[in-house]
Amino acid sequence: MSRSMAPALWRPDSRLWRPNRRSFLQALGGSAAALAALGPTPAHAAGTADNILFFYFPDGVPGWSQNGDASLWHCTGGETDFSLGHTVQALAPFRDRCLFFNGLTMGDTDNGSHPGGAKKLLTASDHGNNESIDQHLSRSVGSDRPWHHLYLGAQAGADGASGDKFITYPVAGSTMAPEDDPRRAFSSLFGSGGVSSGGSGSGDDGGSTETDPAVARRLSVLDASMGEIHDLKARLGTTEKRKLDLHLESLYELEGRLNPGGSGGGSGSGGTDWGGCDDPSVEVGSLTDSNLYDPALFPDIISAQIDIAVQAMACGMTRVVTLQCSHHTSDLIMSRFPGSEMYDPGYDMRSHQASHYGSGHDWGSREFAAFDQQRRYWVDRFVELLTKMDSIPGRTGTLLDDSIVVLCTEVCDGNTHQHHDLPVVVAGGGGGALHGGRLLNTGGRYHGDLWVALGRAMGEDMWSFGSSGSVLDGVLT
Amino acid sequence: MKPPVRLVALLTIAVSCGGDADPDKSAGTDSDSGLTDASTCDHANAPPRALRLLTRREYAHTIDDLFSWLDGDDPASCSTHTDCSVAFESCLSGSCRPDPCDVLSVAVGPDIASSSQSVVIAGAFNDWASTVEQGGAPLSWSAEHNLHWAKLALPEGEWPYKLVIDGSVWITDPGNPELIDDGSGNVNSLAILDCSDPGTSDGAFAPDVDPVSDFPAESRPSHHPFDNAVSEGLVTTPRADALLSAADTLAGQIADAAHLLPCDTGASAYDNEACWLSFIDELALRTWRRPLASAERERLFSYLASESDTEAGVHFMTQVLLSSPHFLYRTELGELQPDGRYRLTAWETASLLSYTLWGTAPDTELLDAAARGLLDTSEGIAAQAGRLLSDPRAGTRFGVFATAWLGVDAVPTMSRNPDLYPGYTTELGQAMVDEVAERAATIALEGDGGLRALLTGRDTLVTPELAEIYGIEAPGAGWAPATVPAERPGVLGTPALLTATAHSDQTSPVRRGLFVRERILCQDLGTPPADAGGVPDVDPDASTRDRFDQHSNDPACSVCHQYIDPVGFGFEHFDSIGTWREMDGAHPVDATGELLGVEGIGQMDVSTFYGLDGLAPMLANSEAASTCFVEMSWRNALGQPPEQAPCAVDELSERFDADRPIRDLLLTLVAADAFVHRSEPVAEESL
C-alpha cells in the first residue's frame, strides 16, 4: 500500500503558547514586575519529575499462558542483574532508565475481565470508582501549566467505543473521550484555534494574541459563566455539585491559558522552553476527515500523537499526558499497518483476535505469532516515544531524564486476561526521582502503590490513591 | 402468547453465569399490582434532580433553530400583535412576522412613560394631533411586555412625527435613530417607510459551527447506548474549550447580521433600550428556554451596553448567553412539592418534552403552552406531545434513538476487508445507518407500528446498493420503498446491524448473540469468572459455527455462552456486510439456533429456530423484549437508568407488548407522573 500523496505538514498559523517574552510583556503592560515574572519555572525540588506520560495499549501481552508457559514479557533475574523479556527486548538501549515489575496485581475484583481491568488501571479502584491518576495529578502538580492534562488517542474511539473503553476518569465512575484527531490536537495546542480575532470562521485567522480584543472578551465571558455557575451551585447545594465543580474547574483552566499570571490556574508562564519548542509541527500523512479510523493510517496517527505529546511537554504546556492506543477488546486490524512486521493485506488479524491465541505459546499458531509481533510493535512505539524525548535537552539531561513514561495495558496475558502480574514498564529519569535500571519483584503488591510512588516523584505529597494505601518500594531514589 | 414471566426470578439465577446478579434488571413490583390506568406507584419513585448537558446533536439542532428563528423562518402563531415581540413584530395571518415595510412601529418603555400615562403619535400624517380626541394615534400599554406600543400603517414615504405624553410633553421617538430638522429649530423623528428594499441577507443564515465534529464525543456508559447519559454530561476542559469557541463564533455571526436584528446596532444601546430588552427576552427564551428574571435581564443588557460599539456589545452579550450554564444544561430541578418530590417547572417540562421528542429546544407554541400553564397537567402534556409526534422532527429524533439503541452508529467508520468486500465504502455504511433510521421512524411515527413491526417487518427504504445487499431488484434510482425477503425480517436483518455485529472478514456469533441479549432482551451476561481461562484451541479450517461450538463445549465457558453463541448462529446466513450467503468458506451454512431462557438468564426453557425469520418472532413474542424496549425508551428520554424509577417503568412495561403502537408508548411515557417529578439524589454513585 503506497501513499498517493506526499506527507502533509501541519503548521500553526500563530503560536499562542510559544513562550514569547515580548507579547507576554505586552499583556502585563511591560511593567518591571512583569520582567520579574519571566524566567525559568519555579524551581523543583531536587529529584522531582517534570512530566508524566501514560502510554496505553490494549489487550495485554503474551504472559503466563493457560497451560503455564512462562511469560514472554516479564523479565527474570535479580534486581540489577536481570534479563529482559522477549517482548521488551527493544528497550535494551534504555534499560538503565527503566523499571520493570513482576507481581503487580490489580486485585481480584472482575479478574479475568477486559472492561474490569480497564476500569481499574488508572483509577486504582474497583469498577472505576475514583478519578484516574492522570486526572488526579493534573489537578495538583499539573495545574501550573496551561494544559493541566493532555489526553490523546490513536483510534481510541473506533467502532463506536465509549464508556469503559476510555481509561481516563475525570470523576469517579465517568470517563471522557480522548482527542483522536492529531490535527485537532495540534491546533488546540499550537494553532490559533484557541482564539479567533474575528467573529466568525474556524478561527485560523492567526492574528496577534494577548492584546487581541477577542481574548479580553473571552476572559469576560468566562468570568460571567463562572459567576452564573457559582450562583447555581449556591442554589442547588449538593445536587449535581460534582458536575458544576468540574465545570468550574474547566473554566478556571481555560482562564489560565488566556490570562497567564491571572487568578485562574497558576503561573501559566508556559514553563521553561528548553529548545524543543522552536517550531512545533506534526506530520499527518494522508489523514483526512473521513479516514480517521482507517487502520492503514494508524501508524501515521500514533506517530503524530507521539510528536504532539512530546512537543507539548517540551514547550512546557503540560506536565501530564495520557496517550491511549485503541481500547480493550480491540478490533483494530493491526495486519493493515503498512511497513510493520504484522502487515498482511490478505488476512485481517485484529488485536483482540490475536490475543486469544489459545492455551499455550504455540509459535506455529497464526494467532500467537501475530500476537507476538503486535506486542513488540507496541513496545517499538514506546521506544519511539522515549527516543524522541531523549533527543530534547532537558533540565537534568534530556526531556526523558526529566520525565516519567509509563507503558501499560489492562490485563496481563491476553488469552487468560488475568489482572495479576500486570505488564507495566516505567521509563525515564523522573528528574532524578526514579531509581532505574532495575527489576522489582514486588511479590503481589497492588498496582495502585506504583501510582502513589510516581505521584510522589512528580512532587505531590501523596501516600494513598484509590484503593492503595502505600508507596511501592524501590521505585524512588 | 407470552409465556408466564417473573422478572424477580432473574435476580436469583444470574450468579451461575459468572458472577454478579444482573445489575440492569429493575427490582420490579409484585405481579399483583394490576393493570390500571392510574399510577399506583409510590411517590418516592422519581429520578434524581439533574442538570443535563446538551449533547452535540442537541446543541446543533438548537442553534440551527435559533438561527432560523432569527432569520424569520420560524413564525410563531398568534392572534394579536402582543402575542408577538410587539416592539418589532406584527401578527399577520396568524403568524408573528417582522413588522411590514409600510408600518411605523413604536414602543416606549416605562422609563419614558409610566403605565398610567398616555402616549400618542403626532405627525404630518394626522396634523400633529397631540391628543386622541384631535386624532392623535394612541399607544397601548402592554403589561406583558412592560411597554407602550402602537403600529401605524402609513403610505410609503418619509413622515416626520413625535410622541406626546399626557397631551403636553413632546419627545422624539427613542426607538428611532432617524431625525429631521424642520427648519425652525425643531428636531422631529423621521419614519422612513420604503417597501422597495427587501433588506434581507443573501443565502441562508446558518451557524458556522459543527458540534458533532468540533466537540468531544460523549461518553456512553455500559447499558446506556445513548449519548445523553446524565452522569456523563460533564464539561471537561476540552469540551469547555470547544463550547467557548463555538459561542464566540455564533455570537459573532449574530452580531454581524444587523439586518436580522430588530434594533439598530448603529446607535447606542441606551437609545433603543426597550427594543434591546425585548430582544434579549426573546433570545433568552430561545436559548435559556425560560423567561428571564429581571436581574438577569438587566445584567445581560449591561453586557450589551458595555461596548461603545453596539455590535460588539451584541457579540459579547450573546457569547455570554451561549456560554451560560443556563444554556448548556437543561435543568430538571423542579419545585418542591408537599410530598417531598420536585415537580418540574412548566419551562423544564417544555424542554424535556421537546428534547425527548424532537431533540431540540421548545418551539414557540410549546413555550406558549408553558407560559399558559398548559403543561401543568398530564393531559396538557399529552396534547402537546401529540402535536410534537405528528411533526417530521419526531421521526428524525426517533431515528436517532433507533440507530443508537441498535448500536449501528459506528458502521460508516468500521473497516471491512477490501478483498472480500471491495464495494464497501463509508458512503455505503452511511446509507445502511440511514435505512435503519428511516425504517424505524416510518414504522413508529408514520404508521401505528409496534415493536413487532420493528423486529419482524419487511417494508423499508433502500438505495440500489442496499437493494443489492438485500438481494432484491433496485426499486428506483435513489431511495425508494421496498419489501425485503422473508428470511431477513426487521432490524435484525438490516445490513447495518449485520455489519455492526461482524468483524471485518468474518461473522461473529458471539457479537450477534450478545447484541440480542443486551439490546433486545436487556439481559446482562456479567463478567467472565476469574478461572474461565482463555479460549480453547480451535481448528482454523472448521466452519465459524464449528469453531464456536467447540468453545461452548468447555463447561467453564458454556455456562454463559450457551445463552450467546446459539442465538448468534441464527445469523450465520449473513456475511460481514449483511449479504445472504449459502456457504461459509468450504462449509454450507447451518443457521439453526437456540434461544435459551428468552425471559431471563438462568431460565432453562429453550426454543429452537432456523435463521432470523425464526428468531425474530420469538423475540417479538417475549415479554423481555417489550420490557427492554420500554427501558431503552426510558433511558433515551431521561438519560438515567430505569432503576431510578422502577415502579413507573414497570407500569409502562406491564401495559405494553409488541403489538401496541410505539407512538402510544411515547405518549404514555411523557405523560407519566414520574416523567415530570424528580427526587433529591441520595448519594453520588456510578451507574
Short mmCIF file of all heavy atoms in Angstrom, two decimals, chain A residues 120-167:
data_model
loop_
_atom_site.label_atom_id
_atom_site.label_comp_id
_atom_site.label_asym_id
_atom_site.label_seq_id
_atom_site.Cartn_x
_atom_site.Cartn_y
_atom_site.Cartn_z
N LYS A 120 -9.96 -0.41 36.33
CA LYS A 120 -9.08 -0.33 37.49
C LYS A 120 -7.74 0.31 37.17
O LYS A 120 -7.06 0.80 38.07
CB LYS A 120 -8.79 -1.74 38.03
CG LYS A 120 -9.97 -2.45 38.66
CD LYS A 120 -9.46 -3.69 39.38
CE LYS A 120 -9.91 -4.95 38.71
NZ LYS A 120 -9.38 -6.16 39.39
N LEU A 121 -7.34 0.26 35.91
CA LEU A 121 -5.96 0.52 35.55
C LEU A 121 -5.44 1.85 36.08
O LEU A 121 -4.48 1.87 36.85
CB LEU A 121 -5.80 0.45 34.02
CG LEU A 121 -4.37 0.63 33.50
CD1 LEU A 121 -3.45 -0.47 34.01
CD2 LEU A 121 -4.38 0.64 31.97
N LEU A 122 -6.06 2.95 35.70
CA LEU A 122 -5.54 4.24 36.14
C LEU A 122 -6.27 4.76 37.38
O LEU A 122 -5.84 5.74 37.97
CB LEU A 122 -5.63 5.28 35.01
CG LEU A 122 -4.74 5.02 33.79
CD1 LEU A 122 -4.84 6.18 32.80
CD2 LEU A 122 -3.29 4.81 34.18
N THR A 123 -7.36 4.12 37.76
CA THR A 123 -8.11 4.62 38.91
C THR A 123 -7.70 3.95 40.22
O THR A 123 -8.00 4.45 41.29
CB THR A 123 -9.62 4.37 38.75
OG1 THR A 123 -9.85 2.96 38.69
CG2 THR A 123 -10.16 5.03 37.50
N ALA A 124 -7.01 2.82 40.10
CA ALA A 124 -6.67 2.02 41.28
C ALA A 124 -7.90 1.79 42.13
O ALA A 124 -7.86 1.87 43.37
CB ALA A 124 -5.56 2.70 42.09
N SER A 125 -9.01 1.51 41.47
CA SER A 125 -10.26 1.34 42.22
C SER A 125 -11.16 0.38 41.46
O SER A 125 -11.29 0.49 40.24
CB SER A 125 -10.93 2.71 42.36
OG SER A 125 -12.19 2.59 42.97
N ASP A 126 -11.74 -0.56 42.16
CA ASP A 126 -12.67 -1.47 41.50
C ASP A 126 -13.78 -0.68 40.82
O ASP A 126 -14.29 0.30 41.36
CB ASP A 126 -13.30 -2.42 42.53
CG ASP A 126 -12.29 -3.40 43.11
OD1 ASP A 126 -11.19 -3.52 42.55
OD2 ASP A 126 -12.63 -4.02 44.13
N HIS A 127 -14.16 -1.13 39.64
CA HIS A 127 -15.27 -0.54 38.88
C HIS A 127 -15.02 0.92 38.49
O HIS A 127 -15.94 1.64 38.13
CB HIS A 127 -16.60 -0.62 39.66
CG HIS A 127 -16.85 -1.94 40.30
ND1 HIS A 127 -16.93 -3.11 39.58
CD2 HIS A 127 -17.01 -2.29 41.60
CE1 HIS A 127 -17.14 -4.13 40.41
NE2 HIS A 127 -17.19 -3.66 41.65
N GLY A 128 -13.79 1.37 38.58
CA GLY A 128 -13.52 2.75 38.18
C GLY A 128 -14.12 3.79 39.11
O GLY A 128 -14.50 4.87 38.69
N ASN A 129 -14.21 3.45 40.39
CA ASN A 129 -14.85 4.35 41.35
C ASN A 129 -13.89 5.38 41.92
O ASN A 129 -13.81 5.57 43.14
CB ASN A 129 -15.49 3.56 42.49
CG ASN A 129 -16.90 3.14 42.13
OD1 ASN A 129 -17.55 3.76 41.30
ND2 ASN A 129 -17.38 2.08 42.77
N ASN A 130 -13.17 6.03 41.05
CA ASN A 130 -12.21 7.04 41.50
C ASN A 130 -11.80 7.85 40.29
O ASN A 130 -11.88 7.37 39.16
CB ASN A 130 -10.98 6.36 42.13
CG ASN A 130 -10.06 7.34 42.85
OD1 ASN A 130 -10.51 8.39 43.32
ND2 ASN A 130 -8.78 7.01 42.94
N GLU A 131 -11.34 9.07 40.52
CA GLU A 131 -10.69 9.79 39.42
C GLU A 131 -9.42 8.99 39.07
O GLU A 131 -8.86 8.30 39.91
CB GLU A 131 -10.31 11.21 39.86
CG GLU A 131 -9.39 11.24 41.07
CD GLU A 131 -8.94 12.62 41.49
OE1 GLU A 131 -9.20 13.59 40.76
OE2 GLU A 131 -8.30 12.70 42.56
N SER A 132 -8.99 9.10 37.84
CA SER A 132 -7.78 8.37 37.44
C SER A 132 -6.54 9.17 37.88
O SER A 132 -6.61 10.38 38.10
CB SER A 132 -7.77 8.12 35.93
OG SER A 132 -8.06 9.31 35.23
N ILE A 133 -5.41 8.46 37.96
CA ILE A 133 -4.19 9.07 38.50
C ILE A 133 -3.74 10.24 37.63
O ILE A 133 -3.24 11.25 38.15
CB ILE A 133 -3.07 8.01 38.65
CG1 ILE A 133 -1.81 8.62 39.27
CG2 ILE A 133 -2.70 7.36 37.33
CD1 ILE A 133 -1.99 9.08 40.71
N ASP A 134 -3.95 10.16 36.33
CA ASP A 134 -3.55 11.28 35.46
C ASP A 134 -4.41 12.51 35.77
O ASP A 134 -3.90 13.62 35.87
CB ASP A 134 -3.62 10.88 33.99
CG ASP A 134 -4.95 10.23 33.59
OD1 ASP A 134 -5.79 9.97 34.49
OD2 ASP A 134 -5.16 9.97 32.40
N GLN A 135 -5.70 12.31 35.92
CA GLN A 135 -6.58 13.43 36.27
C GLN A 135 -6.22 13.98 37.66
O GLN A 135 -6.21 15.19 37.88
CB GLN A 135 -8.04 12.96 36.27
CG GLN A 135 -8.63 12.81 34.89
CD GLN A 135 -8.96 14.15 34.25
OE1 GLN A 135 -9.54 15.02 34.87
NE2 GLN A 135 -8.56 14.33 33.01
N HIS A 136 -5.92 13.06 38.56
CA HIS A 136 -5.56 13.50 39.92
C HIS A 136 -4.32 14.38 39.88
O HIS A 136 -4.30 15.47 40.47
CB HIS A 136 -5.31 12.27 40.78
CG HIS A 136 -4.83 12.60 42.16
ND1 HIS A 136 -5.68 12.95 43.18
CD2 HIS A 136 -3.58 12.67 42.67
CE1 HIS A 136 -4.97 13.20 44.27
NE2 HIS A 136 -3.70 13.04 43.99
N LEU A 137 -3.29 13.93 39.19
CA LEU A 137 -2.06 14.71 39.14
C LEU A 137 -2.27 16.01 38.36
O LEU A 137 -1.63 17.02 38.65
CB LEU A 137 -0.94 13.88 38.51
CG LEU A 137 -0.49 12.68 39.34
CD1 LEU A 137 0.51 11.83 38.56
CD2 LEU A 137 0.12 13.13 40.67
N SER A 138 -3.16 15.99 37.37
CA SER A 138 -3.39 17.21 36.61
C SER A 138 -3.94 18.31 37.50
O SER A 138 -3.72 19.49 37.25
CB SER A 138 -4.34 16.94 35.44
OG SER A 138 -5.69 16.86 35.88
N ARG A 139 -4.67 17.91 38.53
CA ARG A 139 -5.28 18.89 39.41
C ARG A 139 -4.32 19.41 40.46
O ARG A 139 -4.51 20.50 40.98
CB ARG A 139 -6.49 18.28 40.13
CG ARG A 139 -7.59 17.96 39.19
CD ARG A 139 -8.79 17.31 39.84
NE ARG A 139 -9.85 17.34 38.86
CZ ARG A 139 -10.55 16.29 38.46
NH1 ARG A 139 -10.31 15.11 39.00
NH2 ARG A 139 -11.48 16.40 37.55
N SER A 140 -3.31 18.62 40.75
CA SER A 140 -2.35 19.05 41.76
C SER A 140 -1.11 19.60 41.06
O SER A 140 -1.07 20.75 40.66
CB SER A 140 -2.02 17.89 42.71
OG SER A 140 -1.51 16.77 42.01
N VAL A 141 -0.14 18.72 40.84
CA VAL A 141 1.13 19.21 40.30
C VAL A 141 1.03 19.64 38.85
O VAL A 141 1.89 20.34 38.34
CB VAL A 141 2.24 18.14 40.46
CG1 VAL A 141 2.50 17.89 41.94
CG2 VAL A 141 1.84 16.84 39.78
N GLY A 142 -0.04 19.23 38.17
CA GLY A 142 -0.14 19.57 36.75
C GLY A 142 -0.82 20.90 36.50
O GLY A 142 -0.86 21.38 35.36
N SER A 143 -1.33 21.53 37.56
CA SER A 143 -2.20 22.69 37.34
C SER A 143 -1.45 23.99 37.14
O SER A 143 -2.07 25.03 36.98
CB SER A 143 -3.18 22.83 38.51
OG SER A 143 -2.46 23.12 39.69
N ASP A 144 -0.12 23.93 37.14
CA ASP A 144 0.60 25.18 36.87
C ASP A 144 0.96 25.32 35.40
O ASP A 144 1.77 26.15 35.03
CB ASP A 144 1.85 25.29 37.76
CG ASP A 144 2.90 24.24 37.41
OD1 ASP A 144 2.58 23.31 36.66
OD2 ASP A 144 4.04 24.37 37.90
N ARG A 145 0.37 24.48 34.58
CA ARG A 145 0.58 24.57 33.14
C ARG A 145 -0.71 24.96 32.48
O ARG A 145 -1.79 24.69 32.99
CB ARG A 145 1.06 23.23 32.58
CG ARG A 145 2.43 22.81 33.06
CD ARG A 145 3.52 23.64 32.42
NE ARG A 145 4.84 23.12 32.72
CZ ARG A 145 5.55 23.45 33.81
NH1 ARG A 145 5.06 24.30 34.68
NH2 ARG A 145 6.72 22.93 34.01
N PRO A 146 -0.64 25.56 31.30
CA PRO A 146 -1.90 25.93 30.63
C PRO A 146 -2.79 24.74 30.31
O PRO A 146 -4.01 24.85 30.37
CB PRO A 146 -1.43 26.64 29.35
CG PRO A 146 0.03 26.42 29.25
CD PRO A 146 0.55 26.07 30.60
N TRP A 147 -2.20 23.62 29.99
CA TRP A 147 -2.98 22.40 29.83
C TRP A 147 -2.69 21.53 31.06
O TRP A 147 -1.60 21.00 31.21
CB TRP A 147 -2.58 21.67 28.54
CG TRP A 147 -3.42 22.06 27.36
CD1 TRP A 147 -4.45 21.36 26.82
CD2 TRP A 147 -3.29 23.25 26.58
NE1 TRP A 147 -4.98 22.04 25.75
CE2 TRP A 147 -4.29 23.22 25.59
CE3 TRP A 147 -2.45 24.37 26.64
CZ2 TRP A 147 -4.47 24.23 24.65
CZ3 TRP A 147 -2.61 25.38 25.71
CH2 TRP A 147 -3.63 25.31 24.73
N HIS A 148 -3.68 21.42 31.92
CA HIS A 148 -3.45 20.61 33.11
C HIS A 148 -3.26 19.14 32.74
O HIS A 148 -2.54 18.42 33.42
CB HIS A 148 -4.64 20.73 34.07
CG HIS A 148 -4.86 22.14 34.56
ND1 HIS A 148 -5.87 22.47 35.43
CD2 HIS A 148 -4.20 23.29 34.30
CE1 HIS A 148 -5.81 23.79 35.69
NE2 HIS A 148 -4.82 24.29 35.02
N HIS A 149 -3.92 18.73 31.67
CA HIS A 149 -3.85 17.33 31.24
C HIS A 149 -4.02 17.30 29.73
O HIS A 149 -4.81 18.08 29.19
CB HIS A 149 -4.96 16.52 31.92
CG HIS A 149 -4.96 15.06 31.54
ND1 HIS A 149 -6.12 14.38 31.20
CD2 HIS A 149 -3.96 14.14 31.47
CE1 HIS A 149 -5.82 13.11 30.94
NE2 HIS A 149 -4.52 12.94 31.09
N LEU A 150 -3.28 16.46 29.07
CA LEU A 150 -3.44 16.27 27.64
C LEU A 150 -3.81 14.81 27.41
O LEU A 150 -3.05 13.92 27.79
CB LEU A 150 -2.14 16.62 26.92
CG LEU A 150 -2.15 16.55 25.39
CD1 LEU A 150 -3.16 17.54 24.82
CD2 LEU A 150 -0.76 16.85 24.85
N TYR A 151 -4.99 14.60 26.83
CA TYR A 151 -5.48 13.22 26.66
C TYR A 151 -5.65 12.98 25.17
O TYR A 151 -6.58 13.48 24.55
CB TYR A 151 -6.79 13.05 27.41
CG TYR A 151 -7.39 11.65 27.43
CD1 TYR A 151 -6.61 10.51 27.26
CD2 TYR A 151 -8.75 11.48 27.66
CE1 TYR A 151 -7.19 9.25 27.30
CE2 TYR A 151 -9.33 10.23 27.70
CZ TYR A 151 -8.55 9.11 27.53
OH TYR A 151 -9.13 7.86 27.58
N LEU A 152 -4.72 12.22 24.61
CA LEU A 152 -4.72 11.95 23.18
C LEU A 152 -5.05 10.49 22.92
O LEU A 152 -4.70 9.63 23.73
CB LEU A 152 -3.34 12.27 22.57
CG LEU A 152 -2.83 13.69 22.76
CD1 LEU A 152 -1.42 13.83 22.19
CD2 LEU A 152 -3.77 14.69 22.10
N GLY A 153 -5.64 10.22 21.77
CA GLY A 153 -5.95 8.85 21.41
C GLY A 153 -5.45 8.53 20.02
O GLY A 153 -5.26 9.42 19.19
N ALA A 154 -5.24 7.26 19.78
CA ALA A 154 -4.99 6.77 18.43
C ALA A 154 -6.09 5.77 18.12
O ALA A 154 -6.07 4.64 18.61
CB ALA A 154 -3.61 6.13 18.33
N GLN A 155 -7.09 6.22 17.38
CA GLN A 155 -8.25 5.40 17.04
C GLN A 155 -8.89 4.79 18.28
O GLN A 155 -9.40 3.67 18.24
CB GLN A 155 -7.88 4.33 16.00
CG GLN A 155 -7.34 4.97 14.73
CD GLN A 155 -7.16 4.00 13.56
OE1 GLN A 155 -7.16 2.79 13.73
NE2 GLN A 155 -7.03 4.56 12.37
N ALA A 156 -8.83 5.53 19.37
CA ALA A 156 -9.41 5.04 20.61
C ALA A 156 -10.93 4.98 20.55
O ALA A 156 -11.56 4.17 21.20
CB ALA A 156 -8.96 5.91 21.79
N GLY A 157 -11.53 5.86 19.75
CA GLY A 157 -12.98 5.91 19.64
C GLY A 157 -13.52 5.11 18.47
O GLY A 157 -14.70 5.23 18.12
N ALA A 158 -12.69 4.26 17.88
CA ALA A 158 -13.12 3.49 16.71
C ALA A 158 -14.21 2.49 17.08
O ALA A 158 -14.35 2.09 18.24
CB ALA A 158 -11.91 2.75 16.12
N ASP A 159 -14.97 2.08 16.08
CA ASP A 159 -16.00 1.05 16.24
C ASP A 159 -17.00 1.40 17.33
O ASP A 159 -17.52 0.53 18.04
CB ASP A 159 -15.36 -0.32 16.55
CG ASP A 159 -14.45 -0.78 15.42
OD1 ASP A 159 -14.81 -0.57 14.25
OD2 ASP A 159 -13.36 -1.33 15.71
N GLY A 160 -17.27 2.69 17.49
CA GLY A 160 -18.26 3.11 18.49
C GLY A 160 -17.82 2.92 19.92
O GLY A 160 -18.65 2.88 20.82
N ALA A 161 -16.53 2.84 20.15
CA ALA A 161 -16.04 2.63 21.52
C ALA A 161 -16.40 3.81 22.40
O ALA A 161 -16.37 4.96 21.97
CB ALA A 161 -14.53 2.44 21.51
N SER A 162 -16.73 3.52 23.63
CA SER A 162 -17.09 4.57 24.58
C SER A 162 -17.06 3.99 25.98
O SER A 162 -16.63 2.87 26.18
CB SER A 162 -18.48 5.12 24.23
OG SER A 162 -18.74 6.32 24.92
N GLY A 163 -17.47 4.78 26.94
CA GLY A 163 -17.62 4.27 28.30
C GLY A 163 -16.34 3.68 28.84
O GLY A 163 -15.31 4.33 28.88
N ASP A 164 -16.42 2.41 29.26
CA ASP A 164 -15.25 1.81 29.93
C ASP A 164 -14.11 1.48 28.97
O ASP A 164 -13.08 0.97 29.39
CB ASP A 164 -15.65 0.57 30.73
CG ASP A 164 -16.24 -0.54 29.90
OD1 ASP A 164 -15.65 -0.87 28.84
OD2 ASP A 164 -17.27 -1.10 30.30
N LYS A 165 -14.27 1.79 27.69
CA LYS A 165 -13.15 1.63 26.77
C LYS A 165 -12.19 2.81 26.87
O LYS A 165 -11.07 2.75 26.38
CB LYS A 165 -13.64 1.44 25.34
CG LYS A 165 -14.46 0.14 25.22
CD LYS A 165 -14.43 -0.49 23.86
CE LYS A 165 -14.95 -1.92 23.96
NZ LYS A 165 -15.07 -2.58 22.66
N PHE A 166 -12.63 3.90 27.51
CA PHE A 166 -11.73 5.01 27.76
C PHE A 166 -11.15 4.83 29.15
O PHE A 166 -11.83 4.38 30.08
CB PHE A 166 -12.48 6.34 27.65
CG PHE A 166 -13.07 6.58 26.28
CD1 PHE A 166 -14.32 7.17 26.14
CD2 PHE A 166 -12.39 6.22 25.13
CE1 PHE A 166 -14.87 7.40 24.89
CE2 PHE A 166 -12.93 6.44 23.86
CZ PHE A 166 -14.18 7.03 23.74
N ILE A 167 -9.89 5.21 29.31
CA ILE A 167 -9.21 4.86 30.56
C ILE A 167 -9.05 6.04 31.52
O ILE A 167 -8.57 5.86 32.64
CB ILE A 167 -7.83 4.24 30.29
CG1 ILE A 167 -6.95 5.20 29.47
CG2 ILE A 167 -7.97 2.91 29.58
CD1 ILE A 167 -5.50 4.73 29.34
#
